[in-house]
Amino acid sequence: MECRAGCGACCIAPSITSPIPGMPLGKPAGVPCIQLSDDFRCGIFGQSERPACCGGLKPSAQMCGANRDEAINWLSELERLTAPD
């Protein structure tokens, strides 16, 4: 499955605890990654600076849903369910 154009849900909904260029402490859930472009694409896709957790996240029908809102909701719920106490 290919990433949906204009989505960027995986660059917004989840937290990232590893450093990102421009965000040395990572990012909290719900905050857009600084590397997310205006057209909702990853500015460091395919580069070594991209966090491993980002590279390991692959689009799927379950995660991406039928539209961007469904993807953000699914990833936000996953974030909530897996957040440390």
mmCIF file of all heavy atoms in Angstrom, residues 3-35:
data_model
loop_
_atom_site.group_PDB
_atom_site.id
_atom_site.type_symbol
_atom_site.label_atom_id
_atom_site.label_comp_id
_atom_site.label_asym_id
_atom_site.label_seq_id
_atom_site.Cartn_x
_atom_site.Cartn_y
_atom_site.Cartn_z
ATOM 1 N N CYS A 3 1.449 5.449 0.613
ATOM 2 C CA CYS A 3 0.941 6.521 1.479
ATOM 3 C C CYS A 3 -0.095 7.350 0.716
ATOM 4 O O CYS A 3 0.042 7.576 -0.489
ATOM 5 C CB CYS A 3 2.072 7.450 1.912
ATOM 6 S SG CYS A 3 3.127 6.757 3.188
ATOM 7 N N ARG A 4 -1.125 7.776 1.428
ATOM 8 C CA ARG A 4 -2.171 8.610 0.840
ATOM 9 C C ARG A 4 -1.639 10.040 0.698
ATOM 10 O O ARG A 4 -1.139 10.619 1.650
ATOM 11 C CB ARG A 4 -3.408 8.608 1.746
ATOM 12 C CG ARG A 4 -4.535 9.470 1.255
ATOM 13 C CD ARG A 4 -5.733 9.479 2.208
ATOM 14 N NE ARG A 4 -6.310 8.144 2.318
ATOM 15 C CZ ARG A 4 -6.279 7.397 3.420
ATOM 16 N NH1 ARG A 4 -5.724 7.834 4.512
ATOM 17 N NH2 ARG A 4 -6.809 6.196 3.430
ATOM 18 N N ALA A 5 -1.745 10.597 -0.465
ATOM 19 C CA ALA A 5 -1.320 11.980 -0.683
ATOM 20 C C ALA A 5 -2.130 12.916 0.208
ATOM 21 O O ALA A 5 -3.335 12.725 0.392
ATOM 22 C CB ALA A 5 -1.507 12.355 -2.154
ATOM 23 N N GLY A 6 -1.452 13.899 0.790
ATOM 24 C CA GLY A 6 -2.132 14.891 1.616
ATOM 25 C C GLY A 6 -2.579 14.384 2.970
ATOM 26 O O GLY A 6 -3.455 14.968 3.582
ATOM 27 N N CYS A 7 -1.977 13.317 3.472
ATOM 28 C CA CYS A 7 -2.408 12.742 4.754
ATOM 29 C C CYS A 7 -1.498 13.201 5.896
ATOM 30 O O CYS A 7 -1.863 14.072 6.663
ATOM 31 C CB CYS A 7 -2.453 11.226 4.679
ATOM 32 S SG CYS A 7 -3.037 10.441 6.204
ATOM 33 N N GLY A 8 -0.340 12.604 6.032
ATOM 34 C CA GLY A 8 0.598 12.973 7.091
ATOM 35 C C GLY A 8 0.191 12.561 8.492
ATOM 36 O O GLY A 8 0.795 12.991 9.466
ATOM 37 N N ALA A 9 -0.827 11.718 8.620
ATOM 38 C CA ALA A 9 -1.305 11.313 9.951
ATOM 39 C C ALA A 9 -0.201 10.684 10.784
ATOM 40 O O ALA A 9 -0.106 10.935 11.983
ATOM 41 C CB ALA A 9 -2.481 10.354 9.815
ATOM 42 N N CYS A 10 0.658 9.882 10.170
ATOM 43 C CA CYS A 10 1.725 9.213 10.911
ATOM 44 C C CYS A 10 2.816 10.185 11.342
ATOM 45 O O CYS A 10 3.657 9.844 12.171
ATOM 46 C CB CYS A 10 2.300 8.059 10.110
ATOM 47 S SG CYS A 10 2.994 8.541 8.526
ATOM 48 N N CYS A 11 2.814 11.390 10.811
ATOM 49 C CA CYS A 11 3.773 12.425 11.204
ATOM 50 C C CYS A 11 3.164 13.396 12.211
ATOM 51 O O CYS A 11 3.819 14.360 12.616
ATOM 52 C CB CYS A 11 4.236 13.200 9.979
ATOM 53 S SG CYS A 11 5.031 12.177 8.727
ATOM 54 N N ILE A 12 1.926 13.160 12.585
ATOM 55 C CA ILE A 12 1.225 14.036 13.526
ATOM 56 C C ILE A 12 0.768 13.269 14.762
ATOM 57 O O ILE A 12 1.082 13.650 15.894
ATOM 58 C CB ILE A 12 0.015 14.707 12.853
ATOM 59 C CG1 ILE A 12 0.459 15.562 11.674
ATOM 60 C CG2 ILE A 12 -0.788 15.541 13.862
ATOM 61 C CD1 ILE A 12 -0.662 16.044 10.775
ATOM 62 N N ALA A 13 0.014 12.206 14.578
ATOM 63 C CA ALA A 13 -0.664 11.531 15.697
ATOM 64 C C ALA A 13 0.272 10.884 16.712
ATOM 65 O O ALA A 13 0.091 11.085 17.912
ATOM 66 C CB ALA A 13 -1.670 10.517 15.160
ATOM 67 N N PRO A 14 1.256 10.091 16.297
ATOM 68 C CA PRO A 14 2.061 9.401 17.307
ATOM 69 C C PRO A 14 3.158 10.277 17.912
ATOM 70 O O PRO A 14 3.628 11.229 17.284
ATOM 71 C CB PRO A 14 2.683 8.237 16.533
ATOM 72 C CG PRO A 14 2.718 8.680 15.126
ATOM 73 C CD PRO A 14 1.563 9.621 14.945
ATOM 74 N N SER A 15 3.557 9.903 19.117
ATOM 75 C CA SER A 15 4.743 10.522 19.710
ATOM 76 C C SER A 15 5.969 9.852 19.109
ATOM 77 O O SER A 15 5.909 8.706 18.668
ATOM 78 C CB SER A 15 4.734 10.361 21.231
ATOM 79 O OG SER A 15 4.743 8.998 21.578
ATOM 80 N N ILE A 16 7.071 10.578 19.096
ATOM 81 C CA ILE A 16 8.350 10.031 18.639
ATOM 82 C C ILE A 16 9.365 10.397 19.717
ATOM 83 O O ILE A 16 9.529 11.577 20.029
ATOM 84 C CB ILE A 16 8.758 10.594 17.267
ATOM 85 C CG1 ILE A 16 7.716 10.207 16.208
ATOM 86 C CG2 ILE A 16 10.148 10.096 16.872
ATOM 87 C CD1 ILE A 16 7.951 10.811 14.838
ATOM 88 N N THR A 17 10.005 9.404 20.297
ATOM 89 C CA THR A 17 10.914 9.667 21.405
ATOM 90 C C THR A 17 12.369 9.796 20.975
ATOM 91 O O THR A 17 13.203 10.203 21.774
ATOM 92 C CB THR A 17 10.803 8.561 22.477
ATOM 93 O OG1 THR A 17 11.075 7.301 21.863
ATOM 94 C CG2 THR A 17 9.411 8.543 23.090
ATOM 95 N N SER A 18 12.672 9.483 19.744
ATOM 96 C CA SER A 18 14.038 9.627 19.260
ATOM 97 C C SER A 18 14.218 10.982 18.586
ATOM 98 O O SER A 18 13.249 11.605 18.148
ATOM 99 C CB SER A 18 14.387 8.481 18.310
ATOM 100 O OG SER A 18 13.459 8.412 17.259
ATOM 101 N N PRO A 19 15.467 11.443 18.483
ATOM 102 C CA PRO A 19 15.721 12.752 17.866
ATOM 103 C C PRO A 19 15.303 12.794 16.402
ATOM 104 O O PRO A 19 15.411 11.808 15.675
ATOM 105 C CB PRO A 19 17.229 12.917 17.975
ATOM 106 C CG PRO A 19 17.673 11.954 19.010
ATOM 107 C CD PRO A 19 16.693 10.825 18.967
ATOM 108 N N ILE A 20 14.828 13.960 16.012
ATOM 109 C CA ILE A 20 14.454 14.261 14.634
ATOM 110 C C ILE A 20 15.197 15.549 14.295
ATOM 111 O O ILE A 20 15.265 16.437 15.148
ATOM 112 C CB ILE A 20 12.934 14.516 14.514
ATOM 113 C CG1 ILE A 20 12.140 13.320 15.045
ATOM 114 C CG2 ILE A 20 12.531 14.844 13.086
ATOM 115 C CD1 ILE A 20 10.677 13.645 15.315
ATOM 116 N N PRO A 21 15.755 15.704 13.102
ATOM 117 C CA PRO A 21 16.376 16.984 12.780
ATOM 118 C C PRO A 21 15.394 18.136 13.022
ATOM 119 O O PRO A 21 14.277 18.128 12.513
ATOM 120 C CB PRO A 21 16.727 16.853 11.295
ATOM 121 C CG PRO A 21 16.918 15.376 11.093
ATOM 122 C CD PRO A 21 15.881 14.737 11.998
ATOM 123 N N GLY A 22 15.796 19.063 13.866
ATOM 124 C CA GLY A 22 14.935 20.188 14.223
ATOM 125 C C GLY A 22 14.095 19.936 15.459
ATOM 126 O O GLY A 22 13.469 20.844 15.991
ATOM 127 N N MET A 23 14.073 18.695 15.921
ATOM 128 C CA MET A 23 13.336 18.305 17.134
ATOM 129 C C MET A 23 14.214 17.307 17.897
ATOM 130 O O MET A 23 13.960 16.110 17.889
ATOM 131 C CB MET A 23 11.977 17.685 16.785
ATOM 132 C CG MET A 23 11.054 18.611 16.019
ATOM 133 S SD MET A 23 9.470 17.834 15.598
ATOM 134 C CE MET A 23 8.428 18.556 16.874
ATOM 135 N N PRO A 24 15.266 17.787 18.546
ATOM 136 C CA PRO A 24 16.235 16.877 19.164
ATOM 137 C C PRO A 24 15.680 15.996 20.287
ATOM 138 O O PRO A 24 16.268 14.973 20.609
ATOM 139 C CB PRO A 24 17.325 17.808 19.692
ATOM 140 C CG PRO A 24 16.672 19.140 19.799
ATOM 141 C CD PRO A 24 15.615 19.182 18.736
ATOM 142 N N LEU A 25 14.542 16.374 20.852
ATOM 143 C CA LEU A 25 13.925 15.571 21.907
ATOM 144 C C LEU A 25 12.764 14.736 21.383
ATOM 145 O O LEU A 25 11.996 14.171 22.161
ATOM 146 C CB LEU A 25 13.448 16.476 23.049
ATOM 147 C CG LEU A 25 14.543 17.321 23.704
ATOM 148 C CD1 LEU A 25 13.949 18.240 24.753
ATOM 149 C CD2 LEU A 25 15.638 16.443 24.281
ATOM 150 N N GLY A 26 12.618 14.663 20.081
ATOM 151 C CA GLY A 26 11.482 13.969 19.493
ATOM 152 C C GLY A 26 10.267 14.873 19.474
ATOM 153 O O GLY A 26 10.396 16.103 19.479
ATOM 154 N N LYS A 27 9.075 14.288 19.478
ATOM 155 C CA LYS A 27 7.854 15.092 19.449
ATOM 156 C C LYS A 27 6.739 14.409 20.226
ATOM 157 O O LYS A 27 6.638 13.191 20.254
ATOM 158 C CB LYS A 27 7.411 15.368 18.014
ATOM 159 C CG LYS A 27 6.902 14.150 17.283
ATOM 160 C CD LYS A 27 6.205 14.552 16.001
ATOM 161 C CE LYS A 27 4.992 13.721 15.724
ATOM 162 N NZ LYS A 27 3.872 13.767 16.598
ATOM 163 N N PRO A 28 5.887 15.210 20.849
ATOM 164 C CA PRO A 28 4.737 14.623 21.537
ATOM 165 C C PRO A 28 3.639 14.224 20.555
ATOM 166 O O PRO A 28 3.581 14.714 19.417
ATOM 167 C CB PRO A 28 4.264 15.741 22.465
ATOM 168 C CG PRO A 28 4.850 16.996 21.934
ATOM 169 C CD PRO A 28 6.029 16.629 21.088
ATOM 170 N N ALA A 29 2.774 13.346 21.005
ATOM 171 C CA ALA A 29 1.622 12.935 20.191
ATOM 172 C C ALA A 29 0.763 14.142 19.858
ATOM 173 O O ALA A 29 0.593 15.045 20.676
ATOM 174 C CB ALA A 29 0.805 11.898 20.953
ATOM 175 N N GLY A 30 0.265 14.165 18.647
ATOM 176 C CA GLY A 30 -0.639 15.229 18.210
ATOM 177 C C GLY A 30 0.050 16.470 17.687
ATOM 178 O O GLY A 30 -0.610 17.380 17.181
ATOM 179 N N VAL A 31 1.361 16.518 17.775
ATOM 180 C CA VAL A 31 2.138 17.663 17.282
ATOM 181 C C VAL A 31 2.745 17.285 15.936
ATOM 182 O O VAL A 31 3.402 16.253 15.833
ATOM 183 C CB VAL A 31 3.255 18.036 18.281
ATOM 184 C CG1 VAL A 31 4.179 19.088 17.704
ATOM 185 C CG2 VAL A 31 2.651 18.496 19.601
ATOM 186 N N PRO A 32 2.540 18.100 14.905
ATOM 187 C CA PRO A 32 3.152 17.775 13.618
ATOM 188 C C PRO A 32 4.678 17.782 13.703
ATOM 189 O O PRO A 32 5.271 18.636 14.353
ATOM 190 C CB PRO A 32 2.668 18.894 12.689
ATOM 191 C CG PRO A 32 1.446 19.436 13.350
ATOM 192 C CD PRO A 32 1.674 19.285 14.823
ATOM 193 N N CYS A 33 5.302 16.827 13.073
ATOM 194 C CA CYS A 33 6.758 16.784 12.978
ATOM 195 C C CYS A 33 7.224 18.009 12.197
ATOM 196 O O CYS A 33 6.591 18.404 11.200
ATOM 197 C CB CYS A 33 7.186 15.502 12.266
ATOM 198 S SG CYS A 33 8.970 15.378 12.006
ATOM 199 N N ILE A 34 8.330 18.578 12.621
ATOM 200 C CA ILE A 34 8.877 19.743 11.930
ATOM 201 C C ILE A 34 9.286 19.394 10.491
ATOM 202 O O ILE A 34 9.355 20.268 9.629
ATOM 203 C CB ILE A 34 10.059 20.345 12.720
ATOM 204 C CG1 ILE A 34 10.350 21.747 12.253
ATOM 205 C CG2 ILE A 34 11.271 19.434 12.635
ATOM 206 C CD1 ILE A 34 11.256 22.522 13.178
ATOM 207 N N GLN A 35 9.512 18.123 10.226
ATOM 208 C CA GLN A 35 9.899 17.687 8.882
ATOM 209 C C GLN A 35 8.704 17.441 7.956
ATOM 210 O O GLN A 35 8.882 17.117 6.789
ATOM 211 C CB GLN A 35 10.757 16.422 8.980
ATOM 212 C CG GLN A 35 12.072 16.638 9.702
ATOM 213 C CD GLN A 35 12.971 17.627 8.988
ATOM 214 O OE1 GLN A 35 12.955 17.746 7.766
ATOM 215 N NE2 GLN A 35 13.766 18.348 9.754
#
